[in-house]
Amino acid sequence: MKQTYNQRLRDKQLEDRIVSEETAASWIEDGMTLGLSGFTRAGDAKAVPSALVEKAKEEHLKVNVYTGASLGSDIDRLMAEAGIVHKRLPFQADKTMRSEINQGDMLFVDQHLSHTAEAIRQDILNPIDYAIVEAVSITKDGMIVPSTSVGNSSIFAEKAKNVIVELNLAQSDAFEGLHDIYELGAQGKRQPIPLTEVDDRIGTIGIQVDIEKIKGIVITNQPDSPSTIVPPDEDTATMANHLIGFLRKEVEVGRLPENLAPLQSGIGSVANAVFHGLLDSEFTELEVYSEVLQDAVFDLLDAGKIKFASGCSITLSEDKLEEVYGNIDRYRDRLLLRPQEISNHPEIIRRLGLISINTPLEVDIYGNVNSTHVLGTKMMNGIGGSGDFTRNSRLAIFVTKSIAKNGDISSVVPFVSHVDHTEHDVDVLVTEQGYADLRGLAPKERVPVIIENCAHPTYREQLYAYYEEAWEKGGQTPHVLEKAFAWHTRFKETGSMKAAALQHS
Ligand code: COA
């Protein structure tokens, strides 16, 4: 062990800063703000947050917690259970934390993932007292080399008053060289980001910080926790086929090249399964410019279908995690991890002309999308990067099953109960029923296209009935305002969105 950490901590003047996680946690006081590494369960600071939870058993402690996205290793759950989080941003995906937020016991800022760094630069958020960042190594000249995610680690380390590094020996040091850290600088004084190809390297392999700010180094040995995605099923395979059919047509008419455009895919089982469908397609020489790289990206890399993948985090299921991390060298020339404000930057998304594929909770008959709020009020996970990509991509696609909860919820509703992506930003909707190409369609033209191609047959008549009544009232985007959320209230009252006549079907 000593030998290994010797090789990984190469700036020898930092050796005397090695401390235990308990000592590091003892520096953190009530009311402080922490910037933790970690993005969709990858590369999270593990030991110090756990020690903090233990410390909170002895004394009152409430802190603000900023991260890249969701944390693994149960850290979000443990912090939520211990009640130590005052305010959390910009994303979470933990059941216990979600309940704390929805019960009003914790404040949550649901933020576009590319915005957090800008908010920190502009001093909109509380100053960060401690950045706690996982690393695979510290170079001879003091650069912190992140592990399986970059997330917001570079901006946290740059702006924090103090930095604690968790040097994790369980993470392969072969990750060194796979990161590309680029700092944008202040708004108004910036140059264009010099990234014109998915595989362009524009920065450094690690995070350069003022060495004096590194207050402690904690040696850890704990692997990332695996993702919780479930394997593709019949419905998601059908959705993938519809999506591929749409993309094929775009190639045929010359709007897309044969290897498509750089692809982004959101988090979760559905997005992963849809990407998985590309394995059996004719498409090859693909490029990925995404934030999270899930199992399917590595299946496609292994199959030689993807020539390069750029992301800000790698999130894998249990089996895949061992296979990929044990052979990370295999991907050395085809993989880069960047800060999340670069992976999600509007300038690059628009320049590269991305095809974005994200998953909503519900969509409405005009194409508005709700990605975050169950029944309009309860937080699910957060908007994540879906807004960064959707607003700026060449083709903004949303894929979802047409029903949820055994058919008691329709994913196509008269009016979404919360709007994350407006009808102006949404190009194509895909469900297992088919796809709706909304580009160039006025709201009234969209309605039959969405109902016929995307809604589940059980709900089609009900949707038409609503629209006919709305149409009578007129307007650019007709609604019966007093009934617009009747489906949601019916679900709350009866456990189903189905109209009374259909309740037992
Ligand atoms: N109302 C209530 N619940 C719904 C629902 C709706 N309209 N649609 C789906 N759900 C439930 C499902 O039943 C499932 O519940 P369960 O966990 O109790 O089984 C849960 O939501 C997840 O749905 P699932 O179909 O398994 O999809 P997923 O794993 O692909 O996740 C999102 C879907 C929307 C939760 C997820 O994609 C997300 O958080 N998106 C927002 C952030 C984002 O888009 N990031 C992309 C850039 S990285």
Side-chain angles (χ1 to χ4, degrees):
M1 161 108 124
K2 176 101 172 111
Q3 173 71 11
T4 324
Y5 106 67
N6 263 337
Q7 285 161 355
R8 291 185 182 221
L9 180 53
R10 300 200 291 276
D11 186 340
K12 296 301 166 195
Q13 58 174 320
L14 289 173
E15 264 191 345
D16 61 359
R17 295 189 211 172
I18 293 177
V19 291
S20 69
E21 56 264 40
E22 290 80 14
T23 302
S26 74
W27 299 329
I28 294 163
E29 292 166 16
D30 189 38
M32 282 187 168
T33 296
L34 312 178
L36 305 186
S37 71
F39 194 105
T40 52
R41 300 168 74 81
D44 28 35
K46 301 168 176 71
V48 181
S50 299
L52 208 56
V53 167
E54 287 304 308
K55 174 175 140 126
K57 290 179 183 161
E58 309 298 323
E59 59 187 86
H60 180 264
L61 190 72
K62 277 250 188 232
V63 288
N64 299 314
V65 176
Y66 307 164
T67 61
S70 53
L71 301 178
S73 313
D74 278 340
I75 300 294
D76 272 334
R77 177 177 69 78
L78 293 169
M79 290 194 304
E81 278 171 1
I84 64 167
V85 182
H86 170 64
K87 188 184 275 188
R88 175 83 169 80
L89 64 84
F91 186 85
Q92 59 75 46
D94 179 78
K95 212 171 153 194
T96 311
M97 185 163 272
R98 187 180 295 149
S99 339
E100 290 278 301
I101 292 165
N102 289 323
Q103 281 162 31
D105 294 333
M106 184 190 301
L107 297 171
F108 178 55
V109 183
D110 178 17
Q111 204 169 39
H112 293 300
L113 296 187
S114 74
H115 284 194
T116 312
E118 301 286 24
I120 290 170
R121 268 189 211 100
Q122 292 172 30
D123 293 331
I124 288 166
L125 303 175
N126 281 2
I128 298 171
D129 296 289
Y130 280 91
I132 311 174
V133 173
E134 180 173 278
V136 294
S137 56
I138 298 180
T139 64
K140 228 170 156 184
D141 46 0
M143 253 194 311
I144 301 167
V145 180
S147 60
T148 45
S149 71
V150 180
N152 278 320
S153 296
S154 46
I155 192 76
F156 289 161
E158 186 198 329
K159 297 291 182 190
K161 292 174 201 155
N162 304 283
V163 178
I164 298 169
V165 180
E166 288 195 6
L167 194 58
N168 190 348
L169 306 184
Q171 300 277 34
S172 166
D173 57 358
F175 268 92
E176 195 169 319
L178 285 177
H179 307 95
D180 188 40
I181 311 296
Y182 180 83
E183 168 51 29
L184 286 167
Q187 276 178 329
K189 296 180 184 158
R190 280 181 199 162
Q191 297 301 309
I193 304 170
L195 194 156
T196 55
E197 303 286 341
V198 167
D199 59 353
D200 277 345
R201 181 175 266 292
I202 59 174
T204 54
I205 65 152
I207 304 165
Q208 193 80 67
V209 290
D210 171 6
I211 211 99
E212 293 313 312
K213 286 203 314 190
I214 301 184
K215 181 156 178 180
I217 297 171
V218 178
I219 310 294
T220 69
N221 202 330
Q222 186 183 340
D224 277 347
S225 38
S227 75
T228 51
I229 52 166
V230 296
D233 60 23
E234 205 182 315
D235 277 348
T236 53
T238 310
M239 282 150 70
N241 283 337
H242 292 314
L243 176 67
I244 288 164
F246 165 75
L247 295 172
R248 191 173 289 134
K249 278 202 182 142
E250 289 298 292
V251 174
E252 275 164 20
V253 297
R255 279 194 286 261
L256 285 174
E258 280 188 357
N259 71 333
L260 304 177
L263 297 160
Q264 175 265 336
S265 131
I267 53 151
S269 305
V270 172
N272 183 63
V274 167
F275 239 42
H276 201 263
L278 286 166
L279 265 179
D280 298 322
S281 75
E282 70 275 30
F283 298 117
T284 178
E285 295 284 289
L286 297 168
E287 293 177 307
V288 169
Y289 194 85
S290 198
E291 53 174 46
V292 54
L293 307 177
Q294 302 192 107
D295 286 22
V297 169
F298 289 88
D299 291 333
L300 287 161
L301 280 163
D302 290 341
K305 290 277 203 181
I306 290 179
K307 63 176 182 182
F308 201 91
S310 165
C312 82
S313 146
I314 300 176
T315 302
L316 301 170
S317 62
E318 196 149 17
D319 292 347
K320 202 76 192 161
L321 199 136
E322 248 173 61
E323 184 193 320
V324 170
Y325 291 170
N327 296 288
I328 198 74
D329 265 331
R330 200 196 284 169
Y331 307 100
R332 185 155 295 281
D333 302 327
R334 297 181 288 157
L335 190 64
L336 272 186
L337 294 180
R338 310 176 190 275
Q340 69 197 63
E341 72 169 334
I342 302 294
S343 63
N344 293 29
H345 203 286
E347 178 187 328
I348 301 170
I349 295 166
R350 189 65 77 90
R351 180 181 297 141
L352 296 178
L354 255 56
I355 300 173
S356 70
I357 307 164
N358 291 292
T359 315
L361 285 172
E362 59 180 8
V363 302
D364 69 28
I365 53 173
Y366 296 110
N368 297 294
V369 166
N370 171 11
S371 294
T372 55
H373 285 69
V374 175
L375 299 172
T377 51
K378 297 219 162 131
M379 177 51 60
M380 184 72 182
N381 298 329
I383 193 165
S386 59
D388 293 325
F389 289 102
T390 297
R391 185 75 183 89
N392 300 293
S393 58
R394 163 200 308 229
L395 260 175
I397 302 173
F398 281 91
V399 289
T400 180
K401 294 186 185 182
S402 66
I403 45 175
K405 304 292 176 210
N406 294 322
D408 284 321
I409 287 182
S410 171
S411 308
V412 183
V413 291
F415 203 160
V416 285
S417 53
H418 175 91
V419 190
D420 291 296
H421 312 289
T422 71
E423 46 141 332
H424 314 281
D425 296 329
V426 178
D427 295 321
V428 180
L429 298 175
V430 182
T431 70
E432 79 289 348
Q433 302 295 322
Y435 71 81
D437 181 356
L438 308 178
R439 293 171 301 169
L441 299 187
K444 285 177 195 150
E445 292 178 293
R446 289 172 165 219
V447 176
V449 175
I450 294 174
I451 297 177
E452 283 306 314
N453 297 306
C454 293
H456 193 274
T458 314
Y459 286 100
R460 281 186 198 156
E461 285 310 313
Q462 230 178 284
L463 286 165
Y464 276 126
Y466 174 84
Y467 181 58
E468 275 159 26
E469 199 180 335
W471 194 84
E472 293 288 329
K473 293 183 180 279
Q476 158 78 357
T477 308
H479 271 299
V480 191
L481 288 180
E482 56 279 25
K483 292 188 181 170
F485 300 124
W487 293 36
H488 301 88
T489 48
R490 189 181 308 126
F491 178 80
K492 274 193 167 175
E493 284 157 12
T494 69
S496 177
M497 285 185 173
K498 286 178 198 154
L502 292 171
Q503 284 273 343
H504 300 294
S505 63

